[in-house]
Amino acid sequence: VIGGVYPKQAIDASLQSYEYTDCRRQPQCLYAIGVDWNEKPTGVHVVVVEFDPNTNFLKLVDKAIINDDEFTQLMGVEGIVSLVRKWSPHIVWVDSGFGSTQVETLKKYALSHPDLNLVGKIHAVVMASTVEMSDPFTGEKIKKRTKEFMVDLTLRKVEMLQCIFPKTEDTDAM
């Protein structure tokens, strides 16, 4: 986890000793998969986040970075399917900017594999687009870029110390 826009002190307080392999699906929690499509050498980044409605905590429970010499995007789709089978997420958010074909592939796969219970759970978002919302103080309608909106939301959760990350993600420690 890199500080950047997130306060280092809050990130440090969010780090806990656990491994992804130790994480198990909890029946009271909600699960989301997030996907960022990239070419080599960055690869496809896939994260699984657990939300506990009893505590309002978000926990990073799984992650995959998929990089293949020839088939990074196709292997990315396979990696997502594997994580869907493991975590049975409530929603799958994918960046559609670079991944429109992969999104179609995932949706087609979902239709032909009803056992995954994935139809209707795949949502493509254009990170460069804007979202309209109400200002929480004035009630006035405002527009924000989707990526900025997502960063702002996670920043608030991090600052409220409601995020949990494994210490292995601490890039300062590496």
Side-chain angles (χ1 to χ4, degrees):
V1 177
I2 298 174
V5 299
Y6 303 100
K8 182 178 177 356
Q9 185 176 359
I11 291 292
D12 289 346
S14 300
L15 296 172
Q16 293 186 10
S17 293
Y18 69 94
E19 302 292 327
Y20 294 127
T21 54
D22 298 331
C23 296
R24 301 286 179 267
R25 196 173 200 292
Q26 304 300 315
Q28 78 279 8
C29 293
L30 302 173
Y31 292 85
I33 291 179
V35 180
D36 186 18
W37 307 103
N38 300 290
E39 299 252 0
K40 293 185 331 181
T42 306
V44 177
H45 288 237
V46 186
V47 295
V48 182
V49 177
E50 173 186 272
F51 174 70
D52 187 334
N54 298 317
T55 64
N56 278 331
F57 272 73
L58 292 173
K59 181 178 182 179
L60 187 59
V61 295
D62 213 337
K63 176 179 110 172
I65 298 174
I66 300 145
N67 232 336
D68 186 80
D69 286 339
E70 292 186 70
F71 304 107
T72 298
Q73 304 308 310
L74 292 173
M75 296 304 290
V77 169
E78 288 183 22
I80 293 163
V81 168
S82 176
L83 288 170
V84 164
R85 287 190 187 286
K86 178 178 178 181
W87 290 101
S88 186
H90 297 83
I91 195 162
V92 178
W93 287 103
V94 293
D95 178 8
S96 67
F98 182 69
S100 59
T101 300
Q102 298 91 302
V103 172
E104 288 180 10
T105 303
L106 275 172
K107 287 183 175 184
K108 184 177 180 193
Y109 190 89
L111 288 170
S112 62
H113 293 83
D115 59 303
L116 290 179
N117 193 25
L118 193 55
V119 174
K121 293 182 179 181
I122 301 167
H123 298 277
V125 63
V126 179
M127 298 302 277
S129 67
T130 58
V131 292
E132 187 174 302
M133 69 197 81
S134 296
D135 182 289
F137 301 107
T138 66
E140 183 180 323
K141 293 284 184 193
I142 57 172
K143 288 186 179 183
K144 268 192 177 181
R145 292 181 60 100
T146 302
K147 187 172 186 175
E148 179 187 355
F149 175 70
M150 290 174 63
V151 170
D152 286 349
L153 286 177
T154 56
L155 175 60
R156 284 192 193 100
K157 292 297 271 184
V158 167
E159 289 176 333
M160 293 170 28
L161 302 179
Q162 291 183 329
C163 291
I164 302 169
F165 306 108
K167 283 187 178 182
T168 55
E169 292 295 328
D170 183 8
T171 56
D172 286 345
M174 295 177 164

